[in-house]
Amino acid sequence: MFKVLVSDPISDLGIQQLMDAADVQVEKKTGLGEDELAAIIGEYDALLVRSQTRVTEKIMAAGTKLKVVGRAGVGVDNIDLEAATKRGIIVINAPDGNTITTCEHTFAMMMALARHIPQAYAKTVGGVWDRKSFLGVELRNKTLGVMGMGRIGSEVAKRAKAFGMNILAFDPFLTQERAEKMEVKLASVDDIIRNADFMTVHTPLTPETRHMISRPQFEVMKKGMRIINCARGGIIDEVALVEAINEGIVAGAAFDVFEIEPPQIDHPFLSNPKVIVTPHLGASTVEAQENVAIDVSEEVLHILRNEPFKNAVNMPPVAASVMNRLQPYFSIGEKLGSFAAQSANQAVNEIHVDYAGDLSDVDTLPLTRYIVKGVLAHHLGSGVNIVNCMHLAKSRDINVVVTKASKSKGFTNLLTVTLKTQNNEETLVAGTLLNGYGERIVQIDKFPVDVAPEGHQILISHNDKPGMIGSVGTLLGQNDVNIASMQVGRKIIGGEAIMILTVDKAVQKDVLNQLTTLPELNSAIEITL
Ligand SMILES: NC(=O)c1ccc[n+]([C@@H]2O[C@H](COP(=O)([O-])OP(=O)(O)OC[C@H]3O[C@@H](n4cnc5c(N)ncnc54)[C@H](O)[C@@H]3O)[C@@H](O)[C@H]2O)c1
Ligand SMILES: O=C(O)[C@H](O)COP(=O)(O)O
């Protein structure tokens, strides 16, 4: 039974599928502080949050069972991604579910700003019929500067066109072609600052975007600018903005987000008559909350059930077409990694993966992750998974090298894993999927074999002499070890050879030691897959 903790207000309808799942138990505990959450998170396999819960290193460390943190929304700046990745905790978000809702809130804020709606409301309900103080401006023919033309920024630009606005757009990934298609003018930050009448920001909060609009920008800003922030507090320097408003550079601002949320009671926005504020409501509609909760619940279920998933924030996205081609090889890849690690008897400093055949023309990184996980899990245990395996390899100075070849000798796809150890020894194992036969190991070091990678195996290195098979079989029989299958691999008669046996149960260390006493037998190790 998987236990899921919901620590922020998330739509019940949206998480219904989690609550209906027979293998899942959902508990809601909102408003918890860091210590309170850290005290209980160890019981849970998944944590669902919005932006209120700060999922810190301390909480990740306490979440010893945690497989996934699901963010029912876009921004994940409240989640310590590095801490999650280091611990193999997958972080997913719901990037699409609240796009339109936030775009509409942005427009609501822009209109409210242009027509002084909240201020007029407050005065009217206060009994003052004031028709002089709230002279507004039209949006038509005004210039809107959009910083960040992703999902939300693009939707805002579309609607601004319908309002007859001219749009200047800045986004490092916005091409001239796409700008023309969207009928916006590609602009720099400086262009927007000096020419726009309204500015709206729709970027993530990153070291690059933090305070991207601050004192230097206000000093050259077009006088009378109106600024909207429904993205993240901190993109616009709040202190510098208040100064610019007080100096008459900025005519007004509408903020849904703050550098620190909730803002302190003495926050200058809260007492400034030219600043409109809402309490991070950009995604707060029935529709958006159902959307993001459904999206995140689906992926959390997939992850808990070890099924393919999407929207991982701390892993690169994989196209479904690529995933469909790679997924059949995940299991054999992980087993090859594990087999190689169990065969190598020295510390590994390089994992070389070679893809030969059809797979050489796709991005094989997801499959490489399973191979690396297989290598590392042998020594590092269950704390290794496809999220943190590359991070763990790098942190141990283990170099992961991938090579590809369009052709492979006789196989549709051949995966070859070679481990290099610190004393320059190499351990090689190659495998594939054979139609009708499934997973097969087809090479160990330089020896061809044909072995199903499963169960308990004994890998023996010996000299190719008559009687070797009989001696091994007799000794194992004397120790009540039943042989299910046996393969011998050799390159030349009388030379070096290997024997790979599949046996019915784990082999005692003593039996392996007895094997090494047999004449012409060089080594015997047990491999469990
Ligand atoms: N107020 C709310 O409740 C609310 C709701 C949803 C999203 N958001 C926030 O709004 C922001 C945008 O969301 P989205 O879904 O459009 O994200 P998105 O990833 O689709 O778009 C973000 C865009 O910002 C661009 N960008 C990154 N750095 C930039 C920079 N330095 N200058 C200009 N552009 C830059 C990216 O290229 C990208 O196109 C996110 O921070 C998200 O957390 C807030
Ligand atoms: O990044 C987001 O999705 C928004 O900031 C929404 O945050 P919320 O889920 O806390 O409303």
Side-chain angles (χ1 to χ4, degrees):
M1 178 66 76
F2 299 114
K3 287 188 72 178
V4 176
L5 177 62
V6 179
S7 66
D8 282 336
I10 292 180
S11 157
D12 280 345
L13 195 63
I15 61 172
Q16 193 59 48
Q17 59 187 305
L18 274 178
M19 294 194 277
D20 291 344
D23 55 344
V24 173
Q25 178 187 327
V26 179
E27 293 181 8
K28 294 186 177 183
K29 294 178 181 176
T30 57
L32 298 176
E34 182 184 35
D35 291 342
E36 294 169 304
L37 185 51
I40 63 171
I41 194 65
E43 305 165 34
Y44 297 93
D45 303 282
L47 172 63
L48 263 58
V49 300
R50 287 178 58 186
S51 62
Q52 293 93 310
T53 298
R54 307 205 68 77
V55 191
T56 61
E57 164 100 36
K58 177 175 183 177
I59 290 166
M60 301 280 187
T64 49
K65 285 175 60 184
L66 214 47
K67 296 177 183 62
V68 53
V69 174
R71 168 45 164 126
V74 179
V76 291
D77 35 292
N78 55 315
I79 300 169
D80 188 331
L81 293 181
E82 188 177 342
T85 301
K86 197 165 58 176
R87 287 175 175 77
I89 297 169
I90 300 168
V91 178
I92 58 169
N93 71 346
D96 305 307
N98 62 26
T99 298
I100 299 303
T101 280
T102 308
C103 161
E104 293 181 354
H105 191 68
T106 302
F107 249 88
M109 295 289 262
M110 185 153 63
M111 296 296 290
L113 190 55
R115 306 298 294 272
H116 311 291
I117 304 287
Q119 293 90 339
Y121 163 78
K123 207 157 186 182
T124 306
V125 298
V128 179
W129 187 250
D130 177 353
R131 300 185 66 214
K132 296 187 178 64
S133 305
F134 305 116
L135 187 65
V137 292
E138 284 187 353
L139 299 187
R140 184 180 51 155
N141 295 332
K142 295 297 187 305
T143 296
L144 172 67
V146 183
M147 304 278 205
M149 284 288 286
R151 289 174 285 259
I152 296 170
S154 301
E155 292 298 336
V156 169
K158 278 182 202 167
R159 287 155 180 79
K161 291 298 292 176
F163 273 79
M165 298 185 88
N166 305 307
I167 295 141
L168 300 177
F170 171 67
D171 187 308
F173 298 107
L174 181 63
T175 61
Q176 182 60 41
E177 182 189 2
R178 181 163 167 257
E180 287 169 5
K181 199 179 288 182
M182 296 186 71
E183 295 180 295
V184 303
K185 185 172 184 296
L186 204 50
S188 66
V189 175
D190 198 50
D191 292 336
I192 290 174
I193 285 163
R194 292 175 186 276
N195 299 294
D197 302 299
F198 289 82
M199 178 199 298
T200 183
V201 293
H202 300 285
T203 74
L205 180 62
T206 64
E208 183 194 19
T209 62
R210 182 176 291 280
H211 287 192
M212 73 189 283
I213 306 298
S214 189
R215 191 70 221 165
Q217 288 70 35
F218 288 122
E219 284 173 356
V220 297
M221 190 169 279
K222 178 178 182 181
K223 191 170 169 57
M225 175 81 76
R226 289 174 172 84
I227 298 179
I228 300 102
N229 185 0
C230 289
R232 271 298 176 274
I235 297 169
I236 295 167
D237 179 339
E238 294 172 352
V239 172
L241 171 60
V242 171
E243 289 169 359
I245 290 172
N246 295 340
E247 292 163 15
I249 299 168
V250 173
F255 271 53
D256 181 53
V257 287
F258 299 80
E259 294 193 39
I260 296 172
E261 294 185 0
Q264 297 296 310
I265 191 63
D266 61 350
H267 191 293
F269 283 5
L270 306 188
S271 57
N272 191 307
K274 294 183 176 179
V275 181
I276 296 171
V277 289
T278 50
H280 203 142
L281 296 180
S284 297
T285 63
V286 170
E287 296 85 353
Q289 288 310 307
E290 284 175 7
N291 291 341
V292 294
I294 289 168
D295 293 349
V296 81
S297 298
E298 274 176 5
E299 299 315 313
V300 164
L301 264 181
H302 286 319
I303 291 167
L304 291 177
R305 293 170 175 169
N306 209 21
E307 297 164 350
F309 59 90
K310 61 180 191 215
N311 296 338
V313 174
N314 57 342
M315 275 178 59
V318 181
S321 58
V322 172
M323 187 62 92
N324 291 340
R325 290 184 63 187
L326 295 178
Q327 198 197 348
Y329 289 85
F330 286 167
S331 170
I332 179 69
E334 184 169 348
K335 287 176 180 176
L336 291 175
S338 178
F339 189 104
Q342 296 181 62
S343 309
N345 54 13
Q346 291 279 338
V348 172
N349 58 18
E350 180 175 293
I351 301 170
H352 178 187
V353 181
D354 183 79
Y355 296 104
D358 295 350
L359 289 182
S360 60
D361 68 355
V362 295
D363 174 6
T364 47
L365 176 58
L367 177 50
T368 303
R369 284 176 176 272
Y370 277 90
I371 294 171
V372 171
K373 176 198 171 194
V375 172
L376 298 182
H378 174 63
H379 298 292
L380 302 179
S382 60
V384 183
N385 64 27
I386 56 170
V387 174
N388 64 5
C389 59
M390 305 304 265
H391 168 86
L392 292 172
K394 187 175 180 186
S395 64
R396 283 162 176 74
D397 294 325
I398 297 173
N399 195 20
V400 178
V401 176
V402 174
T403 53
K404 296 186 176 182
S406 57
K407 294 274 182 280
S408 76
K409 47 183 185 296
F411 300 103
T412 305
N413 281 297
L414 183 67
L415 280 57
T416 304
V417 179
T418 304
L419 302 185
K420 294 184 181 174
T421 64
Q422 55 197 9
N423 57 359
N424 288 324
E425 282 183 6
E426 289 194 0
T427 300
L428 179 149
V429 61
T432 188
L433 282 182
L434 289 182
N435 288 336
Y437 290 93
E439 299 172 344
R440 308 301 290 184
I441 291 177
V442 296
Q443 183 178 338
I444 299 171
D445 293 331
K446 53 182 179 288
F447 304 105
V449 294
D450 178 6
V451 179
E454 57 200 15
H456 299 283
Q457 299 187 317
I458 302 173
L459 177 59
I460 290 173
S461 165
H462 64 283
N463 301 324
D464 181 31
K465 298 289 182 199
M468 279 311 300
I469 293 175
S471 304
V472 169
T474 302
L475 189 150
L476 291 177
Q478 288 165 347
N479 286 280
D480 192 30
V481 176
N482 190 42
I483 298 170
S485 70
M486 176 188 271
Q487 267 274 314
V488 178
R490 69 178 183 181
K491 294 292 277 186
I492 55 171
I493 295 171
E496 287 178 76
I498 61 165
M499 211 184 294
I500 176 85
L501 305 94
T502 303
V503 294
D504 289 353
K505 62 182 181 181
V507 181
Q508 299 301 319
K509 184 76 178 158
D510 171 53
V511 175
L512 296 173
N513 292 337
Q514 289 178 47
L515 284 169
T516 55
T517 63
L518 293 174
E520 305 294 339
L521 194 144
N522 306 318
S523 68
I525 57 173
E526 182 182 15
I527 291 174
T528 303
L529 294 173

